[in-house]
Structure formats: structure tokens, C-alpha cells
Amino acid sequence: MPLIPEEPQIHESVPGPRAVPAAGRTAPTPRPVPGPRPAPMRSAPGAPRGPVPAPPRRAAREAAVDAPAATPQIQLIPASPEGALDAADEAVDLLLDSGRAPGEVLVLTTGDPHPWAAHELSFGEASYWAQHDAGDDVFYAAADADRALARPVVVVVVNGGTDAAVARSLPSAMARAGALLIVCGDPQRVNALLAAGV
């Protein structure tokens, strides 16, 4: 009876491959197993072993309140007081066509109200402001409407009003604009008021 050589034993402490592939064949690369990632382990001496608890999550709104307010970009669209509403409507159309959600846009008028606002106010202030609070569509209001809340884009229509009223409206509109403030009006008048008050 032929002698069978004793098989070598592989101990866990011995580094290296567990099996040798046959000549001409490569060993398959182990693939990661999908599933949750293990939590990092505590390494401080005396600390209990186990996963490190994740820091508490804060709501995005809380984080936004804590973050310093960034100054919005300002764009000026030249328009006469008579043509400012049309310029604002074109600006809103371009914003929506470029991917802005309707609820991200607030339009403020310094003179006569926008025709949409006048129409909606004919049904009563409660339903008008309910549309504002829903925040799912472009909202039109008077520039001095304190109840109109901040939105990412604010469009100011300088379609009338005294210089003092417009001068008060511009800083208020800038404070409401999260990313972009668009002013539709006479460039000389707007620039003079911006330089004086904003």
C-alpha cells in the first residue's frame, strides 16, 4: 500500500491564500456582499466596545435657519413703469422654462397690483393668502405686503409708487429673496435707489 503524505494543516495565524489555483487558472476575486455597512468601533481605552452612535439629525429647515444668509444675486431688467409688468411676466416664464418650480417665485409690485393678484383678491383675502401659504404656485403681491414670505426668487415690478416707497421695497425684497432678486424697472431710478438704500 502506497504511503500518503500527511496533509499540511493551515492555521488561522498563517498569512496567505487558503487554496492554490490550478495551473493556468486565476483565483476568483472575492466580491463584497451587499448589506448595511458596519458602524465604526470605539477605539478609546476603557470605552465600551460597539458601534459609535450617529450624531442626531437636524431637519433641513433648522440647518437653514442656523446658516448665515447669503446675499442673493441681483438682476436688473430695464423697463418703463408701463412695461414693467410685461417684463416681469417674461422673466417668470423664463424662470419656469429653465426649471424653477412655480412655488419658488414671488412677484412684488410697487404700483398697481398684478392682474392675477387683483383677480384672486376679488374672491376674498382668505383664499388669496391660502394660495400663498400653500406655496405651490407663483404668488403675486404688493411690495409692502408684510405677510408675503421669503422664496428663492423674488421679482420686483417697479410699476409705480413713490421713490420712498420703492426705496423701502427693494431692501425688503432683497431680504425675502433666497438666491435671486430680479428688478424690472427704469435702470437709472432703480440704481439710484439701490445705491441709496440697499
Side-chain angles (χ1 to χ4, degrees):
M1 182 178 225
L3 294 173
I4 299 176
E6 190 174 324
E7 290 185 24
Q9 293 183 353
I10 299 176
H11 299 282
E12 289 298 320
S13 61
V14 177
R18 299 285 188 246
V20 178
R25 296 181 68 190
T26 59
T29 305
R31 302 208 181 246
V33 177
R37 291 184 173 191
M41 302 300 284
R42 298 180 193 271
S43 60
R49 306 289 289 167
V52 177
R57 291 184 147 193
R58 294 189 311 173
R61 175 169 272 174
E62 291 175 21
V65 170
D66 293 343
T71 302
Q73 178 185 356
I74 301 174
Q75 291 181 1
L76 176 60
I77 299 176
S80 66
E82 299 78 27
L85 276 174
D86 290 336
D89 286 341
E90 287 179 26
V92 169
D93 287 342
L94 286 173
L95 287 166
L96 299 177
D97 289 344
S98 69
R100 282 277 179 190
E104 295 181 351
V105 182
L106 173 66
V107 180
L108 302 172
T109 55
T110 62
D112 291 334
H114 190 279
W116 181 91
H119 173 75
E120 293 301 318
L121 279 167
S122 69
F123 297 107
E125 288 212 17
S127 67
Y128 171 75
W129 287 108
Q131 291 180 41
H132 169 271
D133 296 340
D136 55 2
D137 204 354
V138 177
F139 192 78
Y140 299 84
D144 59 358
D146 293 332
R147 190 166 168 187
L149 300 177
R151 291 199 178 181
V153 180
V154 175
V155 179
V156 178
V157 184
V158 184
N159 62 336
T162 65
D163 282 351
V166 174
R168 282 191 308 272
S169 300
L170 292 174
S172 172
M174 184 178 288
R176 290 178 179 148
L180 178 62
L181 173 65
I182 299 174
V183 182
C184 301
D186 175 32
Q188 290 180 338
R189 181 182 185 199
V190 170
N191 283 324
L193 294 173
L194 281 171
V198 179

